């Protein structure tokens, strides 16, 4: 035991009897766990870490090991002066080495260091935190500190008036909070608002070089850096992110991003990057004007800063406003510069962030035009041989947005991108296959590209994606089949040459996913353009499966389902059978949709169904005539013709009925 200004260190086992400790420190840890919804598992050591630990313990023990243990004994048994001197001596050792960390841990030094935090002597607390901030790089030590109830003590130090004391407390929390349970305790014990307060410093300090700052300002800057590091680690929890937002972190993040001090910007950029996965933060990042500052840091020489910044844009750029802000701030050029830099190829996190940001930004047509001026498609094609699935997913996603334009389809074809993309169809990574199917769908719209895809047997590979367990992959594959079948040299024979192809398509009409059903209906509408294929589909009882889907309210499904009905109705007695299955009235209700594309395909379906007299009667009774009359005035010629054809069939039936009645009267 040591004397520290009237207060003394107490063994951990009697902490609950300590009168100087707040009552909350003695709460049962299990109570905290049950009150919180976060995951409470403590991050466990890997097998590799355990092996290194055994190697370190069994290796020849250096002299420093015993010297450190002597210092710990002095701290435990000495007075206040001896404690301070021993802590100062302890800091002279390299505490980042594992054997020196073991020296402290093996003799029970962690218990003593944590116990010191309860005393009232600031020098002792500072010395203890300085040591803890270094040794908590070790995961076992982090877990031990949690078990010793050290988190509430460290959080309580953040109330101190001394900046350097708060700095070391924040540095320690930044390390310990890499354990999930520690992140929870920091929030439960009110640490997040206190850490947010640490980063609230003047803009003038942030924008002044360190060599021109006063000692007091340097202390404030170091405190802000430590607070940012702690918040960066804590942001791995969604509950913590929400607590940060409520504590007012957003404007402070915007302020720190303007700093000229890279060691401050990196952790706050990392915090922004993690928080940008939450919708509330995404909006705040845009409204607070952070995008321009993030773009500025994309040109930094620091790869970590570029990685965090590009990843933040990747997460935020789903919003059109954000995409426009990135373009207006000149963010597209540094992103392309990153992906074309061959030195970046091994830095997968940076490459993943940059390609992802380009993908999201390419959703806007204006951004694609600017990307075209930088030959982005060629640079993306060069990355198709990357071994990282996440990078490939982003690259294919970016290409799928770029090849919506014919000039980029040609650029992709000339750059040799099609063979590389087709080869990737053998991958098992769902998101990659999803983007590949989307990209190939656009490429198949180009006749020359389609010839290459046929030579590469791409249609078979795309068709096989319908067997994938991911509904998103199934949907995109079904949509990709449409232009492949439409633009193939001999589309009818191509489909029939694929064993079990049509059975697979029809079977997916049993899917519970709306997007899959819609895509499959679009594929059926395309396949059924050939009479032989339509006959096969009819034998597979496709119209019965289509009839089961007509009572839908989803406009996309309505549009493609009506197109499939229109394509399948004109074979054999399918028209009469569809009427018997009571599909006419539900299809008529599609005309109430606000989507003109739904009106077009519905009118085409009604025109085919009106070939049957009984269906005409059902349509008339369902009140279809006013809708058809309105469609005749449309600017869409296909819609005009289909509506007029349906009205003609209804009118012809009415005239024949009138003639029949007149003939009866004459008789």
């Amino acid at each position: 035991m040591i004397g520290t200004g009237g207060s003394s260190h107490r063994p951990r086992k009697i902490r609950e009897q300590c009168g100087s400790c707040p009552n909350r420190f003695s709460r049962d840890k299990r109570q905290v766990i049950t009150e919180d919804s976060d995951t409470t598992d403590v991050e466990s050591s890997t097998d590799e870490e355990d092996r290194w630990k055994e190697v370190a313990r069994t290796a020849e023990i250096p002299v420093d090991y015993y010297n450190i243990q002597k210092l710990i004994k002095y701290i435990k048994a000495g007075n206040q002066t001896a404690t301070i001197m021993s802590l100062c001596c302890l800091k002279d050792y390299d505490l980042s080495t594992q054997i020196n960390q073991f020296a402290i841990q093996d003799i029970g030094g962690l218990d003593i260091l944590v116990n010191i935090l309860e005393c009232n002597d600031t020098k002792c607390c500072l010395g203890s935190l300085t040591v803890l901030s270094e040794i908590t790089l070790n995961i076992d030590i982090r877990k031990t500190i949690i078990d010793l109830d050290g988190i509430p003590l460290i959080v309580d130090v953040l109330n101190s008036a001394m900046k350097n004391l708060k700095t070391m407390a924040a540095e320690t929390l930044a390390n310990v909070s890499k354990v999930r349970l520690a992140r929870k305790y920091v929030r439960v014990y009110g640490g997040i608002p206190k850490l947010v307060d640490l980063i609230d410093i003047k803009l003038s300090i942030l924008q002044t070089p360190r060599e021109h700052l006063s000692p007091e300002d340097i202390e404030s800057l170091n405190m802000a850096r430590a607070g940012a590091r702690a918040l960066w680690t804590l942001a791995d929890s969604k509950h913590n992110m929400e607590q940060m937002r409520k504590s007012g972190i957003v404007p402070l993040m915007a302020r720190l991003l303007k700093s000229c001090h890279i060691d401050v910007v990196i952790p706050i950029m990392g915090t922004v990057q993690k928080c940008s996965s939450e919708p509330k933060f995404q909006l705040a990042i845009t409204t607070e004007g952070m995008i321009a500052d993030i773009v500025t840091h994309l040109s930094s020489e620091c790869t970590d800063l570029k990685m965090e910044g590009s990843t933040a844009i990747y997460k935020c750029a789903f919003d059109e406003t954000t995409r426009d802000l990135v373009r207006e701030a000149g963010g597209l050029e540094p992103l392309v510069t990153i992906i074309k830099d061959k030195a970046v190829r091994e830095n997968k996190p940076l490459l993943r962030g940059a390609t992802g940001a380009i993908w999201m930004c390419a959703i806007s047509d204006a951004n694609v035009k600017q990307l075209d001026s930088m030959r982005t498609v060629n640079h993306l094609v060069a990355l198709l041989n990357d071994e990282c699935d996440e990078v490939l997913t982003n690259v294919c996603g970016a290409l799928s947005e770029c090849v919506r334009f014919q000039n980029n389809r040609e650029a992709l074809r000339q750059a040799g991108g099609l063979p590389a993309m087709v080869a990737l169809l053998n991958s098992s990574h769902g998101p990659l296959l999803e983007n590949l199917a989307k990209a190939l769908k656009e490429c198949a719209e180009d006749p020359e590209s389609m010839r290459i895809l046929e030579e590469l047997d791409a249609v078979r590979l795309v068709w096989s994606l319908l067997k994938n367990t991911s509904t998103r992959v199934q949907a995109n594959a079904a949509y990709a089949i449409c232009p492949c079948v439409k633009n193939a040299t001999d589309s009818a024979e191509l489909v029939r040459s694929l064993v079990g192809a049509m059975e697979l398509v029809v079977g997916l009409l049993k899917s519970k996913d709306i997007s899959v059903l819609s895509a499959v209906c679009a594929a059926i509408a395309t396949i059924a353009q050939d009479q032989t294929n339509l006959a096969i589909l009819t034998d597979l009882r496709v119209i019965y499966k289509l009839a089961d889907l007509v009572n839908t309210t989803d406009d996309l499904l309505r549009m493609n389902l009506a197109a499939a009905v229109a394509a399948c109705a004109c074979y054999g007695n399918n028209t009469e059978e569809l009427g018997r299955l009571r599909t006419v009235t539900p299809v008529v209700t599609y005309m109430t949709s606000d989507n003109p594309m739904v009106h077009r395909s519905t009118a085409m379906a009604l025109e085919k169904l009106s070939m049957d007299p009984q269906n005409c009667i059902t349509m008339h009774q369902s009140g279809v005539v006013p809708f058809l009359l309105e469609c005749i005035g449309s600017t869409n010629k296909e819609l005009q013709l289909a509506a007029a054809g349906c009205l003609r069939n209804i009118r012809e039936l009415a005239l024949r009925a009138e003639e029949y009645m007149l003939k009866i009267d004459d008789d």
Side-chain angles (χ1 to χ4, degrees), residues 537-569:
L537 289 172
T538 301
D539 290 342
L540 294 171
R541 301 175 65 82
V542 70
I543 60 170
Y544 293 93
K545 293 181 173 61
L546 293 175
D548 291 337
L549 303 175
V550 292
N551 293 305
T552 180
T553 56
D554 184 83
D555 273 357
L556 186 59
L557 178 54
R558 282 179 167 184
M559 179 180 71
N560 291 326
L561 177 57
V565 169
C568 296

Side-chain angles (χ1 to χ4, degrees), residues 555 558 588-599 602 627:
D555 273 357
R558 282 179 167 184
V588 169
T589 63
Y590 296 178
M591 299 299 284
T592 60
S593 170
D594 295 328
N595 190 334
M597 298 305 294
V598 175
H599 296 166
T602 301
F627 293 108

